[in-house]
Amino acid sequence: MPERTVAVASRSGLHARPAKIFVEAAARQAVPVRIRVGDGKAVPANSMLGVLTLGAGHGAEVTLEADGPGAEEALTTLADLLSRDLDAEGAEGAEGAEGAEGAEGAEGAA
């Protein structure tokens, strides 16, 4: 069974927004993916509750595993996602959306 080990880059670890982004991406994969911390029990990567119960903080090494056609691609996609700071990416997107709404409101008031 193919595996990939990666350190969690998000500042808050796999909690809240980063976990949601990861779980949604895992659900889109062509094969079921499991995730575990160290030698712990693996949980389905598409389960929000399962991922949150891992308690994977910033810098924690997690192992992703999958089997079947498309497993390598799924592991690469999810490992790449975990190696990014999803907290920072999410905050930038939220700030951009708020700024756009504020600009539209200012134009409408003028």
Side-chain angles (χ1 to χ4, degrees), residues 54-75:
L54 292 173
H58 173 77
E61 289 202 348
V62 297
T63 300
L64 303 169
E65 54 189 43
D67 201 15
E72 289 292 340
E73 293 84 1
L75 295 177

Side-chain angles (χ1 to χ4, degrees), residues 38-96:
D39 292 331
K41 180 182 176 194
V43 299
N46 65 351
S47 166
M48 185 68 164
L49 184 57
V51 170
L52 290 175
T53 61
L54 292 173
H58 173 77
E61 289 202 348
V62 297
T63 300
L64 303 169
E65 54 189 43
D67 201 15
E72 289 292 340
E73 293 84 1
L75 295 177
T76 297
T77 298
L78 295 176
D80 289 347
L81 189 63
L82 289 175
S83 68
R84 300 185 341 229
D85 185 355
L86 301 176
D87 287 308
E89 291 178 24
E92 290 169 6
E95 289 172 9

